Amino acid sequence: MRLLLSTVFASFLLCSPAFAASITYTVNQNFPGLSAQGTITTDGNLGTLTSADILNYDLTVSTDLISASFTQGGSFPPAEVSGTDLTATASGLFYDFSGASSFFSLGAPGDTFLCFGNDGGCGAGSGTGVQIGISGIFADSPTQSGVQQIAATSAVPEPSSIALLALGLFGAAGAMRKRLV
């Protein structure tokens, strides 16, 4: 009996889904004459994010005239988060454009970057919205307001761990029944 309980407990532990520490979000922002696509990877923290929570980014930004790709590292510094307007859930990254003078910036400020900002938080000339810079050329999105989703996660299918656990429990019950008969 003790062996059976140990086996069931071990099966449960082995079949329990494992959760990755990091979460990769897909960016797909499109405005007239302005777009940004790519990924942002966080450390898996949910709720309000800081600069330390952004592990990596890999983005392509475009205007009607030019586009550029950039990845964190080398001449592109880590992400910068000012204020408490960037939040994460298991399904997406959200930015509150109603905040005051804050921003979430990826890339090299003043050169090639993607910035979500409030009340000029992305720099001179920017209002409240998304700003893209490519080699000194800047473009702003239309004014944004309220909480907007800026990136989403891909749906991850549930592994068959629950089916494996059920199969193990039925097998254990069958073995136990056979021993008792």
Side-chain angles (χ1 to χ4, degrees):
M1 183 68 170
R2 187 182 300 168
L3 178 62
L4 178 62
L5 288 175
S6 298
T7 304
V8 169
F9 182 71
S11 298
F12 177 74
L13 289 178
L14 290 173
C15 294
S16 296
F19 296 99
S22 63
I23 300 174
T24 299
Y25 298 92
T26 302
V27 176
N28 188 13
Q29 295 286 315
N30 292 295
F31 302 100
L34 178 70
S35 69
Q37 280 80 33
T39 59
I40 299 171
T41 303
T42 69
D43 59 6
N45 284 340
L46 302 179
T48 302
L49 298 183
T50 66
S51 297
D53 294 315
I54 310 300
L55 301 178
N56 198 8
Y57 56 82
D58 185 8
L59 298 166
T60 298
V61 292
S62 304
T63 68
D64 285 339
L65 304 173
I66 191 170
S67 70
S69 296
F70 57 97
T71 301
Q72 179 175 314
S75 61
F76 293 100
E80 218 179 320
V81 179
S82 166
T84 58
D85 296 317
L86 179 66
T87 56
T89 67
S91 63
L93 286 178
F94 297 85
Y95 191 81
D96 184 358
F97 289 99
S98 302
S101 194
S102 64
F103 63 89
F104 169 43
S105 181
L106 305 156
D111 183 31
T112 303
F113 65 90
L114 169 64
C115 184
F116 301 89
N118 305 332
D119 194 24
C122 288
S126 67
T128 297
V130 181
Q131 186 179 56
I132 287 178
I134 304 171
S135 301
I137 299 171
F138 304 106
D140 293 316
S141 73
T143 300
Q144 301 291 305
S145 63
V147 177
Q148 302 287 328
Q149 185 168 4
I150 61 172
T153 57
S154 300
V156 177
E158 168 63 31
S160 56
S161 59
I162 294 175
L164 287 172
L165 177 62
L167 184 62
L169 290 174
F170 282 124
M176 191 170 152
R177 182 173 178 223
K178 205 177 216 183
R179 283 179 95 187
L180 294 175
V181 174

